[in-house]
Amino acid sequence: MKRLFLLATLVAATASAHHGWSEYNADTPLQLSGTIEETGYMQPHGYVRLKTADKTWLVVLAPPSRMENRGLAKDMLATGKKATVYGYPNRNKPDELRAERITIGDKTTELR
């Protein structure tokens, strides 16, 4: 019984810590190309800071396990690499994008 309570508490805490995707506007997709300035390959989502011609974007990626399963290894997101991302801008943060896919070199990875 104690174990079941601990498991339920852990699941609830994890679910409440994860944000929903409604804060991103799927009606106005963007495609951005630029240079990776910073990268994070961590839970709950990886990210890159992508320097485009006009500004630097925080691009929210998939969880590391999904990226690995789909062939996007951590070293592919190295600082200085060129990347193109397609995704949805944040409704309240004008420099944030949730990526649906990312292309680095000739490899495109679907993230969702």
Side-chain angles (χ1 to χ4, degrees), residues 10-44:
L10 178 62
V11 168
T14 302
S16 69
H18 189 273
H19 56 84
W21 293 120
S22 64
E23 64 192 88
Y24 297 93
N25 189 350
D27 294 331
T28 58
L30 298 175
Q31 183 163 307
L32 307 173
S33 294
T35 304
I36 297 173
E37 289 193 330
E38 181 183 341
T39 184
Y41 207 82
M42 62 190 84
Q43 295 292 345

PDB file of all heavy atoms in Angstrom, residues 10-44:
ATOM      1  N   LEU A  10       4.573  10.190  -7.097  1.00  0.00           N
ATOM      2  CA  LEU A  10       5.604  10.464  -8.096  1.00  0.00           C
ATOM      3  C   LEU A  10       4.990  10.783  -9.454  1.00  0.00           C
ATOM      4  O   LEU A  10       5.379  11.737 -10.112  1.00  0.00           O
ATOM      5  CB  LEU A  10       6.565   9.277  -8.215  1.00  0.00           C
ATOM      6  CG  LEU A  10       7.667   9.395  -9.258  1.00  0.00           C
ATOM      7  CD1 LEU A  10       8.574  10.580  -8.927  1.00  0.00           C
ATOM      8  CD2 LEU A  10       8.462   8.129  -9.345  1.00  0.00           C
ATOM      9  N   VAL A  11       4.002  10.011  -9.876  1.00  0.00           N
ATOM     10  CA  VAL A  11       3.340  10.242 -11.161  1.00  0.00           C
ATOM     11  C   VAL A  11       2.651  11.606 -11.159  1.00  0.00           C
ATOM     12  O   VAL A  11       2.760  12.372 -12.111  1.00  0.00           O
ATOM     13  CB  VAL A  11       2.341   9.108 -11.483  1.00  0.00           C
ATOM     14  CG1 VAL A  11       1.450   9.480 -12.653  1.00  0.00           C
ATOM     15  CG2 VAL A  11       3.098   7.821 -11.769  1.00  0.00           C
ATOM     16  N   ALA A  12       1.968  11.946 -10.094  1.00  0.00           N
ATOM     17  CA  ALA A  12       1.279  13.234 -10.011  1.00  0.00           C
ATOM     18  C   ALA A  12       2.261  14.392 -10.049  1.00  0.00           C
ATOM     19  O   ALA A  12       2.038  15.402 -10.710  1.00  0.00           O
ATOM     20  CB  ALA A  12       0.430  13.290  -8.744  1.00  0.00           C
ATOM     21  N   ALA A  13       3.368  14.262  -9.348  1.00  0.00           N
ATOM     22  CA  ALA A  13       4.378  15.328  -9.333  1.00  0.00           C
ATOM     23  C   ALA A  13       5.001  15.513 -10.710  1.00  0.00           C
ATOM     24  O   ALA A  13       5.224  16.635 -11.157  1.00  0.00           O
ATOM     25  CB  ALA A  13       5.460  15.016  -8.298  1.00  0.00           C
ATOM     26  N   THR A  14       5.267  14.420 -11.385  1.00  0.00           N
ATOM     27  CA  THR A  14       5.850  14.495 -12.725  1.00  0.00           C
ATOM     28  C   THR A  14       4.874  15.136 -13.697  1.00  0.00           C
ATOM     29  O   THR A  14       5.242  15.988 -14.494  1.00  0.00           O
ATOM     30  CB  THR A  14       6.247  13.088 -13.216  1.00  0.00           C
ATOM     31  OG1 THR A  14       7.166  12.527 -12.289  1.00  0.00           O
ATOM     32  CG2 THR A  14       6.881  13.146 -14.583  1.00  0.00           C
ATOM     33  N   ALA A  15       3.626  14.759 -13.629  1.00  0.00           N
ATOM     34  CA  ALA A  15       2.619  15.317 -14.534  1.00  0.00           C
ATOM     35  C   ALA A  15       2.430  16.805 -14.299  1.00  0.00           C
ATOM     36  O   ALA A  15       2.293  17.583 -15.239  1.00  0.00           O
ATOM     37  CB  ALA A  15       1.293  14.580 -14.365  1.00  0.00           C
ATOM     38  N   SER A  16       2.432  17.246 -13.067  1.00  0.00           N
ATOM     39  CA  SER A  16       2.225  18.671 -12.798  1.00  0.00           C
ATOM     40  C   SER A  16       3.447  19.494 -13.157  1.00  0.00           C
ATOM     41  O   SER A  16       3.333  20.682 -13.443  1.00  0.00           O
ATOM     42  CB  SER A  16       1.843  18.893 -11.332  1.00  0.00           C
ATOM     43  OG  SER A  16       2.933  18.606 -10.489  1.00  0.00           O
ATOM     44  N   ALA A  17       4.605  18.895 -13.170  1.00  0.00           N
ATOM     45  CA  ALA A  17       5.825  19.627 -13.518  1.00  0.00           C
ATOM     46  C   ALA A  17       5.927  19.866 -15.027  1.00  0.00           C
ATOM     47  O   ALA A  17       6.583  20.790 -15.475  1.00  0.00           O
ATOM     48  CB  ALA A  17       7.051  18.865 -13.030  1.00  0.00           C
ATOM     49  N   HIS A  18       5.272  19.022 -15.815  1.00  0.00           N
ATOM     50  CA  HIS A  18       5.342  19.141 -17.266  1.00  0.00           C
ATOM     51  C   HIS A  18       4.289  20.131 -17.751  1.00  0.00           C
ATOM     52  O   HIS A  18       3.139  20.060 -17.369  1.00  0.00           O
ATOM     53  CB  HIS A  18       5.112  17.775 -17.906  1.00  0.00           C
ATOM     54  CG  HIS A  18       5.373  17.793 -19.371  1.00  0.00           C
ATOM     55  ND1 HIS A  18       4.416  18.135 -20.283  1.00  0.00           N
ATOM     56  CD2 HIS A  18       6.481  17.537 -20.085  1.00  0.00           C
ATOM     57  CE1 HIS A  18       4.919  18.079 -21.491  1.00  0.00           C
ATOM     58  NE2 HIS A  18       6.173  17.725 -21.405  1.00  0.00           N
ATOM     59  N   HIS A  19       4.684  21.045 -18.606  1.00  0.00           N
ATOM     60  CA  HIS A  19       3.757  22.045 -19.118  1.00  0.00           C
ATOM     61  C   HIS A  19       3.005  21.509 -20.326  1.00  0.00           C
ATOM     62  O   HIS A  19       3.426  20.583 -20.990  1.00  0.00           O
ATOM     63  CB  HIS A  19       4.509  23.324 -19.503  1.00  0.00           C
ATOM     64  CG  HIS A  19       5.594  23.061 -20.494  1.00  0.00           C
ATOM     65  ND1 HIS A  19       5.355  22.998 -21.839  1.00  0.00           N
ATOM     66  CD2 HIS A  19       6.913  22.806 -20.339  1.00  0.00           C
ATOM     67  CE1 HIS A  19       6.483  22.726 -22.472  1.00  0.00           C
ATOM     68  NE2 HIS A  19       7.440  22.601 -21.588  1.00  0.00           N
ATOM     69  N   GLY A  20       1.882  22.126 -20.633  1.00  0.00           N
ATOM     70  CA  GLY A  20       1.115  21.758 -21.813  1.00  0.00           C
ATOM     71  C   GLY A  20       1.642  22.490 -23.029  1.00  0.00           C
ATOM     72  O   GLY A  20       2.437  23.417 -22.926  1.00  0.00           O
ATOM     73  N   TRP A  21       1.169  22.072 -24.188  1.00  0.00           N
ATOM     74  CA  TRP A  21       1.622  22.693 -25.431  1.00  0.00           C
ATOM     75  C   TRP A  21       0.684  23.805 -25.892  1.00  0.00           C
ATOM     76  O   TRP A  21       0.905  24.407 -26.931  1.00  0.00           O
ATOM     77  CB  TRP A  21       1.780  21.635 -26.524  1.00  0.00           C
ATOM     78  CG  TRP A  21       2.880  20.663 -26.253  1.00  0.00           C
ATOM     79  CD1 TRP A  21       2.764  19.319 -26.121  1.00  0.00           C
ATOM     80  CD2 TRP A  21       4.282  20.947 -26.076  1.00  0.00           C
ATOM     81  NE1 TRP A  21       3.999  18.753 -25.874  1.00  0.00           N
ATOM     82  CE2 TRP A  21       4.948  19.741 -25.840  1.00  0.00           C
ATOM     83  CE3 TRP A  21       5.031  22.128 -26.080  1.00  0.00           C
ATOM     84  CZ2 TRP A  21       6.303  19.654 -25.625  1.00  0.00           C
ATOM     85  CZ3 TRP A  21       6.398  22.049 -25.866  1.00  0.00           C
ATOM     86  CH2 TRP A  21       7.008  20.821 -25.634  1.00  0.00           C
ATOM     87  N   SER A  22      -0.362  24.099 -25.148  1.00  0.00           N
ATOM     88  CA  SER A  22      -1.317  25.122 -25.571  1.00  0.00           C
ATOM     89  C   SER A  22      -0.709  26.520 -25.606  1.00  0.00           C
ATOM     90  O   SER A  22      -1.258  27.409 -26.241  1.00  0.00           O
ATOM     91  CB  SER A  22      -2.550  25.115 -24.671  1.00  0.00           C
ATOM     92  OG  SER A  22      -2.195  25.468 -23.359  1.00  0.00           O
ATOM     93  N   GLU A  23       0.414  26.706 -24.939  1.00  0.00           N
ATOM     94  CA  GLU A  23       1.060  28.020 -24.957  1.00  0.00           C
ATOM     95  C   GLU A  23       1.762  28.311 -26.284  1.00  0.00           C
ATOM     96  O   GLU A  23       2.253  29.412 -26.508  1.00  0.00           O
ATOM     97  CB  GLU A  23       2.034  28.156 -23.793  1.00  0.00           C
ATOM     98  CG  GLU A  23       3.207  27.193 -23.858  1.00  0.00           C
ATOM     99  CD  GLU A  23       4.003  27.144 -22.569  1.00  0.00           C
ATOM    100  OE1 GLU A  23       3.637  26.339 -21.687  1.00  0.00           O
ATOM    101  OE2 GLU A  23       4.968  27.917 -22.456  1.00  0.00           O
ATOM    102  N   TYR A  24       1.766  27.339 -27.200  1.00  0.00           N
ATOM    103  CA  TYR A  24       2.376  27.523 -28.515  1.00  0.00           C
ATOM    104  C   TYR A  24       1.283  27.645 -29.577  1.00  0.00           C
ATOM    105  O   TYR A  24       0.284  26.941 -29.530  1.00  0.00           O
ATOM    106  CB  TYR A  24       3.319  26.365 -28.838  1.00  0.00           C
ATOM    107  CG  TYR A  24       4.473  26.315 -27.873  1.00  0.00           C
ATOM    108  CD1 TYR A  24       4.417  25.532 -26.730  1.00  0.00           C
ATOM    109  CD2 TYR A  24       5.599  27.096 -28.079  1.00  0.00           C
ATOM    110  CE1 TYR A  24       5.457  25.518 -25.823  1.00  0.00           C
ATOM    111  CE2 TYR A  24       6.648  27.083 -27.169  1.00  0.00           C
ATOM    112  CZ  TYR A  24       6.572  26.294 -26.049  1.00  0.00           C
ATOM    113  OH  TYR A  24       7.600  26.287 -25.145  1.00  0.00           O
ATOM    114  N   ASN A  25       1.484  28.515 -30.540  1.00  0.00           N
ATOM    115  CA  ASN A  25       0.476  28.808 -31.548  1.00  0.00           C
ATOM    116  C   ASN A  25       0.687  27.959 -32.807  1.00  0.00           C
ATOM    117  O   ASN A  25       1.487  28.310 -33.675  1.00  0.00           O
ATOM    118  CB  ASN A  25       0.510  30.295 -31.896  1.00  0.00           C
ATOM    119  CG  ASN A  25      -0.637  30.700 -32.767  1.00  0.00           C
ATOM    120  OD1 ASN A  25      -1.385  29.869 -33.279  1.00  0.00           O
ATOM    121  ND2 ASN A  25      -0.796  31.998 -32.958  1.00  0.00           N
ATOM    122  N   ALA A  26      -0.075  26.876 -32.904  1.00  0.00           N
ATOM    123  CA  ALA A  26       0.048  25.962 -34.046  1.00  0.00           C
ATOM    124  C   ALA A  26      -0.537  26.560 -35.327  1.00  0.00           C
ATOM    125  O   ALA A  26      -0.344  26.008 -36.407  1.00  0.00           O
ATOM    126  CB  ALA A  26      -0.631  24.631 -33.724  1.00  0.00           C
ATOM    127  N   ASP A  27      -1.228  27.692 -35.212  1.00  0.00           N
ATOM    128  CA  ASP A  27      -1.795  28.347 -36.392  1.00  0.00           C
ATOM    129  C   ASP A  27      -0.775  29.172 -37.170  1.00  0.00           C
ATOM    130  O   ASP A  27      -1.055  29.604 -38.285  1.00  0.00           O
ATOM    131  CB  ASP A  27      -2.957  29.267 -35.985  1.00  0.00           C
ATOM    132  CG  ASP A  27      -4.132  28.485 -35.419  1.00  0.00           C
ATOM    133  OD1 ASP A  27      -4.322  27.312 -35.812  1.00  0.00           O
ATOM    134  OD2 ASP A  27      -4.862  29.051 -34.581  1.00  0.00           O
ATOM    135  N   THR A  28       0.383  29.420 -36.568  1.00  0.00           N
ATOM    136  CA  THR A  28       1.406  30.249 -37.229  1.00  0.00           C
ATOM    137  C   THR A  28       2.770  29.567 -37.187  1.00  0.00           C
ATOM    138  O   THR A  28       3.698  30.032 -36.523  1.00  0.00           O
ATOM    139  CB  THR A  28       1.510  31.643 -36.566  1.00  0.00           C
ATOM    140  OG1 THR A  28       1.818  31.474 -35.174  1.00  0.00           O
ATOM    141  CG2 THR A  28       0.236  32.427 -36.699  1.00  0.00           C
ATOM    142  N   PRO A  29       2.919  28.429 -37.890  1.00  0.00           N
ATOM    143  CA  PRO A  29       4.211  27.736 -37.872  1.00  0.00           C
ATOM    144  C   PRO A  29       5.305  28.593 -38.503  1.00  0.00           C
ATOM    145  O   PRO A  29       5.053  29.422 -39.367  1.00  0.00           O
ATOM    146  CB  PRO A  29       3.946  26.480 -38.705  1.00  0.00           C
ATOM    147  CG  PRO A  29       2.777  26.804 -39.551  1.00  0.00           C
ATOM    148  CD  PRO A  29       1.953  27.804 -38.792  1.00  0.00           C
ATOM    149  N   LEU A  30       6.510  28.393 -38.004  1.00  0.00           N
ATOM    150  CA  LEU A  30       7.682  29.100 -38.508  1.00  0.00           C
ATOM    151  C   LEU A  30       8.753  28.099 -38.902  1.00  0.00           C
ATOM    152  O   LEU A  30       8.849  27.017 -38.317  1.00  0.00           O
ATOM    153  CB  LEU A  30       8.263  30.026 -37.435  1.00  0.00           C
ATOM    154  CG  LEU A  30       7.386  31.154 -36.917  1.00  0.00           C
ATOM    155  CD1 LEU A  30       8.103  31.869 -35.767  1.00  0.00           C
ATOM    156  CD2 LEU A  30       7.070  32.126 -38.034  1.00  0.00           C
ATOM    157  N   GLN A  31       9.577  28.478 -39.847  1.00  0.00           N
ATOM    158  CA  GLN A  31      10.796  27.735 -40.165  1.00  0.00           C
ATOM    159  C   GLN A  31      11.953  28.692 -39.965  1.00  0.00           C
ATOM    160  O   GLN A  31      11.989  29.759 -40.574  1.00  0.00           O
ATOM    161  CB  GLN A  31      10.773  27.199 -41.593  1.00  0.00           C
ATOM    162  CG  GLN A  31      12.012  26.358 -41.882  1.00  0.00           C
ATOM    163  CD  GLN A  31      11.833  25.497 -43.107  1.00  0.00           C
ATOM    164  OE1 GLN A  31      10.871  24.760 -43.206  1.00  0.00           O
ATOM    165  NE2 GLN A  31      12.773  25.600 -44.024  1.00  0.00           N
ATOM    166  N   LEU A  32      12.871  28.316 -39.100  1.00  0.00           N
ATOM    167  CA  LEU A  32      14.021  29.150 -38.769  1.00  0.00           C
ATOM    168  C   LEU A  32      15.311  28.423 -39.125  1.00  0.00           C
ATOM    169  O   LEU A  32      15.423  27.216 -38.918  1.00  0.00           O
ATOM    170  CB  LEU A  32      14.046  29.452 -37.263  1.00  0.00           C
ATOM    171  CG  LEU A  32      12.783  30.040 -36.636  1.00  0.00           C
ATOM    172  CD1 LEU A  32      12.937  30.093 -35.122  1.00  0.00           C
ATOM    173  CD2 LEU A  32      12.510  31.418 -37.205  1.00  0.00           C
ATOM    174  N   SER A  33      16.269  29.170 -39.634  1.00  0.00           N
ATOM    175  CA  SER A  33      17.602  28.614 -39.906  1.00  0.00           C
ATOM    176  C   SER A  33      18.631  29.492 -39.227  1.00  0.00           C
ATOM    177  O   SER A  33      18.492  30.719 -39.198  1.00  0.00           O
ATOM    178  CB  SER A  33      17.873  28.575 -41.409  1.00  0.00           C
ATOM    179  OG  SER A  33      17.011  27.662 -42.037  1.00  0.00           O
ATOM    180  N   GLY A  34      19.640  28.846 -38.683  1.00  0.00           N
ATOM    181  CA  GLY A  34      20.683  29.607 -38.023  1.00  0.00           C
ATOM    182  C   GLY A  34      21.776  28.710 -37.472  1.00  0.00           C
ATOM    183  O   GLY A  34      21.922  27.560 -37.870  1.00  0.00           O
ATOM    184  N   THR A  35      22.504  29.270 -36.524  1.00  0.00           N
ATOM    185  CA  THR A  35      23.642  28.595 -35.906  1.00  0.00           C
ATOM    186  C   THR A  35      23.329  28.301 -34.443  1.00  0.00           C
ATOM    187  O   THR A  35      22.821  29.170 -33.724  1.00  0.00           O
ATOM    188  CB  THR A  35      24.890  29.483 -35.988  1.00  0.00           C
ATOM    189  OG1 THR A  35      25.122  29.806 -37.363  1.00  0.00           O
ATOM    190  CG2 THR A  35      26.114  28.786 -35.426  1.00  0.00           C
ATOM    191  N   ILE A  36      23.638  27.089 -34.006  1.00  0.00           N
ATOM    192  CA  ILE A  36      23.424  26.708 -32.614  1.00  0.00           C
ATOM    193  C   ILE A  36      24.460  27.420 -31.745  1.00  0.00           C
ATOM    194  O   ILE A  36      25.659  27.266 -31.946  1.00  0.00           O
ATOM    195  CB  ILE A  36      23.525  25.188 -32.430  1.00  0.00           C
ATOM    196  CG1 ILE A  36      22.414  24.490 -33.222  1.00  0.00           C
ATOM    197  CG2 ILE A  36      23.465  24.810 -30.949  1.00  0.00           C
ATOM    198  CD1 ILE A  36      22.499  22.981 -33.250  1.00  0.00           C
ATOM    199  N   GLU A  37      23.973  28.216 -30.791  1.00  0.00           N
ATOM    200  CA  GLU A  37      24.858  28.936 -29.863  1.00  0.00           C
ATOM    201  C   GLU A  37      24.974  28.237 -28.518  1.00  0.00           C
ATOM    202  O   GLU A  37      25.956  28.428 -27.810  1.00  0.00           O
ATOM    203  CB  GLU A  37      24.348  30.355 -29.643  1.00  0.00           C
ATOM    204  CG  GLU A  37      24.531  31.252 -30.836  1.00  0.00           C
ATOM    205  CD  GLU A  37      24.301  32.714 -30.499  1.00  0.00           C
ATOM    206  OE1 GLU A  37      23.495  33.009 -29.592  1.00  0.00           O
ATOM    207  OE2 GLU A  37      24.946  33.554 -31.143  1.00  0.00           O
ATOM    208  N   GLU A  38      23.952  27.482 -28.152  1.00  0.00           N
ATOM    209  CA  GLU A  38      23.934  26.787 -26.860  1.00  0.00           C
ATOM    210  C   GLU A  38      23.023  25.588 -27.010  1.00  0.00           C
ATOM    211  O   GLU A  38      22.089  25.605 -27.811  1.00  0.00           O
ATOM    212  CB  GLU A  38      23.393  27.726 -25.781  1.00  0.00           C
ATOM    213  CG  GLU A  38      23.340  27.151 -24.395  1.00  0.00           C
ATOM    214  CD  GLU A  38      22.716  28.122 -23.385  1.00  0.00           C
ATOM    215  OE1 GLU A  38      22.652  29.337 -23.641  1.00  0.00           O
ATOM    216  OE2 GLU A  38      22.266  27.630 -22.340  1.00  0.00           O
ATOM    217  N   THR A  39      23.277  24.560 -26.236  1.00  0.00           N
ATOM    218  CA  THR A  39      22.454  23.361 -26.320  1.00  0.00           C
ATOM    219  C   THR A  39      22.272  22.741 -24.948  1.00  0.00           C
ATOM    220  O   THR A  39      23.145  22.863 -24.088  1.00  0.00           O
ATOM    221  CB  THR A  39      23.087  22.349 -27.302  1.00  0.00           C
ATOM    222  OG1 THR A  39      22.217  21.236 -27.444  1.00  0.00           O
ATOM    223  CG2 THR A  39      24.441  21.884 -26.861  1.00  0.00           C
ATOM    224  N   GLY A  40      21.136  22.120 -24.752  1.00  0.00           N
ATOM    225  CA  GLY A  40      20.862  21.378 -23.528  1.00  0.00           C
ATOM    226  C   GLY A  40      20.163  20.088 -23.894  1.00  0.00           C
ATOM    227  O   GLY A  40      19.189  20.096 -24.633  1.00  0.00           O
ATOM    228  N   TYR A  41      20.679  18.996 -23.414  1.00  0.00           N
ATOM    229  CA  TYR A  41      20.147  17.670 -23.743  1.00  0.00           C
ATOM    230  C   TYR A  41      19.704  17.047 -22.433  1.00  0.00           C
ATOM    231  O   TYR A  41      20.373  16.197 -21.878  1.00  0.00           O
ATOM    232  CB  TYR A  41      21.273  16.871 -24.400  1.00  0.00           C
ATOM    233  CG  TYR A  41      20.822  15.788 -25.360  1.00  0.00           C
ATOM    234  CD1 TYR A  41      20.482  16.099 -26.666  1.00  0.00           C
ATOM    235  CD2 TYR A  41      20.779  14.460 -24.973  1.00  0.00           C
ATOM    236  CE1 TYR A  41      20.109  15.119 -27.569  1.00  0.00           C
ATOM    237  CE2 TYR A  41      20.404  13.466 -25.866  1.00  0.00           C
ATOM    238  CZ  TYR A  41      20.069  13.803 -27.153  1.00  0.00           C
ATOM    239  OH  TYR A  41      19.700  12.822 -28.044  1.00  0.00           O
ATOM    240  N   MET A  42      18.577  17.577 -21.894  1.00  0.00           N
ATOM    241  CA  MET A  42      18.149  17.177 -20.559  1.00  0.00           C
ATOM    242  C   MET A  42      16.641  17.001 -20.499  1.00  0.00           C
ATOM    243  O   MET A  42      15.933  17.397 -21.410  1.00  0.00           O
ATOM    244  CB  MET A  42      18.595  18.227 -19.553  1.00  0.00           C
ATOM    245  CG  MET A  42      17.970  19.600 -19.804  1.00  0.00           C
ATOM    246  SD  MET A  42      18.663  20.909 -18.825  1.00  0.00           S
ATOM    247  CE  MET A  42      20.079  21.330 -19.807  1.00  0.00           C
ATOM    248  N   GLN A  43      16.159  16.416 -19.404  1.00  0.00           N
ATOM    249  CA  GLN A  43      14.725  16.235 -19.173  1.00  0.00           C
ATOM    250  C   GLN A  43      14.132  17.533 -18.643  1.00  0.00           C
ATOM    251  O   GLN A  43      14.820  18.284 -17.981  1.00  0.00           O
ATOM    252  CB  GLN A  43      14.494  15.120 -18.156  1.00  0.00           C
ATOM    253  CG  GLN A  43      14.922  13.766 -18.622  1.00  0.00           C
ATOM    254  CD  GLN A  43      14.058  13.245 -19.759  1.00  0.00           C
ATOM    255  OE1 GLN A  43      12.977  13.739 -20.046  1.00  0.00           O
ATOM    256  NE2 GLN A  43      14.553  12.227 -20.445  1.00  0.00           N
ATOM    257  N   PRO A  44      12.888  17.887 -18.869  1.00  0.00           N
ATOM    258  CA  PRO A  44      11.975  17.068 -19.644  1.00  0.00           C
ATOM    259  C   PRO A  44      12.121  17.255 -21.149  1.00  0.00           C
ATOM    260  O   PRO A  44      11.607  16.449 -21.912  1.00  0.00           O
ATOM    261  CB  PRO A  44      10.592  17.547 -19.180  1.00  0.00           C
ATOM    262  CG  PRO A  44      10.797  18.966 -18.805  1.00  0.00           C
ATOM    263  CD  PRO A  44      12.203  19.041 -18.277  1.00  0.00           C
TER     264      PRO A  44
END
